[in-house]
Amino acid sequence: MKTISASVILLLIISLCGCGTSHPKDQTLLDNFKKHELDFEKLITMIRSDKKLRRVDDTWTDPGDPQSIGISQERIREYRAMFSKMSIPRGFYAFHDSERFIFIASSHGLSVSGSAKGYAYLEEKPDLVVTNLESYWSKDGRSFTAYQHIKGNWYLYFDFED
């Protein structure tokens, strides 16, 4: 009886944290980047010109009313159409002080725990650069963000929050 209960609890934990869900393979993301490299560069140009726009997702933005910062709904639709075309359905986060632009190809879990994988444009080289995101895991099993260099300032990233 204890074994069955433990198994049920383990399955519940796995389903809640999204651990049983997979992200796109590194090679899939690399192939997608190569196919849409000019589109990624266009997104960088758009985000740089829309400095006060911190986030565009498939259903929401930050700030919540982009028109309050001079961003039209047409511009938001343009971003979302590009996300769809480029296989980055969860949009972007933008940090302008030291340019960091995160493009989310896949995410699982809650805002306080889970994981995400996608592309990053980074002005500064990140601390944790690995040769293969699929085979990397932190030694202590705790939260981490790892990057795999693509070219120039472009990286794949994998973010895990426990």
Side-chain angles (χ1 to χ4, degrees):
M1 182 84 167
K2 288 182 182 179
T3 305
I4 293 173
S5 297
S7 298
V8 170
I9 291 170
L10 181 60
L11 285 173
L12 180 61
I13 290 169
I14 289 172
S15 68
L16 288 175
C17 77
C19 299
T21 311
S22 64
H23 292 285
K25 299 285 186 192
D26 294 353
Q27 192 59 53
T28 301
L29 292 175
L30 291 168
D31 291 345
N32 185 62
F33 181 83
K34 186 175 181 179
K35 179 180 177 183
H36 295 288
E37 186 172 353
L38 294 177
D39 294 317
F40 277 100
E41 293 298 337
K42 180 179 179 183
L43 274 177
I44 293 296
T45 301
M46 290 171 66
I47 294 167
R48 283 178 174 149
S49 71
D50 297 335
K51 281 190 185 281
K52 293 182 182 177
L53 187 61
R54 294 179 295 270
R55 180 85 162 92
V56 177
D57 197 323
D58 57 343
T59 60
W60 61 278
T61 62
D62 182 13
D65 178 12
Q67 291 179 340
S68 69
I69 57 167
I71 309 293
S72 69
Q73 286 302 314
E74 179 57 37
R75 180 69 158 193
I76 298 300
R77 281 191 291 276
E78 182 180 0
Y79 275 114
R80 290 179 175 149
M82 290 183 72
F83 301 159
S84 179
K85 172 184 174 186
M86 299 166 60
S87 298
I88 50 172
R90 299 305 310 268
F92 72 85
Y93 284 98
F95 306 92
H96 291 277
D97 290 345
S98 171
E99 281 191 342
R100 280 186 307 135
F101 305 130
I102 307 300
F103 303 94
I104 308 157
S106 175
S107 65
H108 304 295
L110 305 172
S111 62
V112 294
S113 68
S115 60
K117 191 171 183 181
Y119 307 90
Y121 180 91
L122 307 173
E123 184 176 271
E124 298 175 6
K125 184 179 178 186
D127 292 332
L128 181 56
V129 179
V130 299
T131 57
N132 184 315
L133 292 175
E134 292 165 25
S135 63
Y136 178 80
W137 198 255
S138 65
K139 291 178 180 158
D140 61 4
R142 308 285 310 208
S143 299
F144 67 91
T145 303
Y147 298 88
Q148 178 180 331
H149 188 246
I150 301 173
K151 66 184 278 186
N153 293 58
W154 286 102
Y155 296 82
L156 296 182
Y157 81 92
F158 179 71
D159 181 59
F160 174 75
E161 299 291 329
D162 69 347

